[in-house]
Amino acid sequence: MRTHEIRATYDRDTITVYQAYRPEIAGPAVEQDRFVPPFSRGRMTWIKPSFLWLMARSNWARKPGQERILAVRITRTGWEEALGHAVPTHPDRRVFRSSDEWRARFAESVVHVQWDPERSLRGATLDARSIQIGLSRHVIDQYVDDWIVSIEDRTPLVRKIHRLLQDGQATKAKAFLPSERVYPLSPDLAHSIGADLP
């Protein structure tokens, strides 16, 4: 596993990203298969392709305001469009020649990319990094109206896996994890977001 690579569940046309919301937002989104009010298009929303990273972040859907876990399938075209607009949240020397160049690019960016430590099944911090993408209000309309293919509630699965972990059945729990593999990137796209190439 390389340090900076995107690992995700994807097929020829779509990639699955995860988000955690309170029930008032998640319920209508699942019912209508799209985000509707009270989901806000006026603030940044973060999407993450790593299931276990979000489990650590949401404490297995037990953190207030993150009680429902949604699997959002979006088009790979939309995902790569977002990556193409993305600017890392820190001045990565592999991407920028100077801090000034990063500051100028970041000030104008409509999509943020952040690499956080990946997590194990039990929530331990790993050396590998996990990507999350912040979509600003300037691109959320595209995300909601054009990129989303389907929205599924994964909360029951999350609870099942967590219950198995609590019962000391880690091997069984692991069998229910979504299958994630390295997502292919062009050299130019990989460089622009600070990802490693094979």
Side-chain angles (χ1 to χ4, degrees), residues 44-86:
M44 181 167 281
T45 190
W46 291 85
I47 56 178
K48 309 99 178 169
S50 168
F51 180 82
L52 286 177
W53 187 91
L54 188 56
M55 293 308 97
R57 179 65 176 267
S58 68
N59 193 17
W60 293 92
R62 294 182 299 169
K63 194 172 287 185
Q66 301 185 40
E67 302 94 339
R68 297 278 293 276
I69 305 298
L70 303 183
V72 185
R73 283 179 61 230
I74 65 174
T75 64
R76 286 179 60 171
T77 301
W79 170 252
E80 291 180 18
E81 185 176 341
L83 294 181
H85 290 300

Side-chain angles (χ1 to χ4, degrees), residues 88-173:
T89 55
H90 73 283
D92 189 333
R93 290 295 184 184
R94 297 171 306 157
V95 180
F96 306 100
R97 289 166 295 185
S98 67
S99 294
D100 288 341
E101 180 189 356
W102 168 75
R103 271 191 290 270
R105 290 268 311 281
F106 191 73
E108 298 178 351
S109 66
V110 296
V111 179
H112 296 173
V113 61
Q114 188 164 305
W115 294 94
D116 297 308
E118 183 60 283
R119 300 303 186 105
S120 72
L121 180 61
R122 296 191 181 279
T125 299
L126 304 178
D127 289 337
R129 296 280 160 162
S130 177
I131 197 170
Q132 61 168 323
I133 301 295
L135 305 174
S136 75
R137 57 188 176 83
H138 303 287
V139 292
I140 285 181
D141 284 347
Q142 287 177 275
Y143 173 61
V144 173
D145 298 329
D146 302 329
W147 301 347
I148 293 177
V149 174
S150 66
I151 300 177
E152 297 178 17
D153 188 352
R154 292 291 170 82
T155 314
L157 174 66
V158 167
R159 290 177 180 152
K160 181 175 188 174
I161 295 172
H162 186 244
R163 190 162 49 247
L164 288 169
L165 278 177
Q166 289 182 310
D167 292 342
Q169 301 185 64
T171 301
K172 283 187 178 179

Side-chain angles (χ1 to χ4, degrees), residues 8-17 72-84 146-149 181-186 189:
T9 299
Y10 64 92
D11 56 27
R12 187 187 66 180
D13 301 314
T14 66
I15 179 172
T16 298
V17 294
V72 185
R73 283 179 61 230
I74 65 174
T75 64
R76 286 179 60 171
T77 301
W79 170 252
E80 291 180 18
E81 185 176 341
L83 294 181
D146 302 329
W147 301 347
I148 293 177
V149 174
R181 56 201 170 105
V182 177
Y183 187 90
L185 295 172
S186 70
L189 196 52

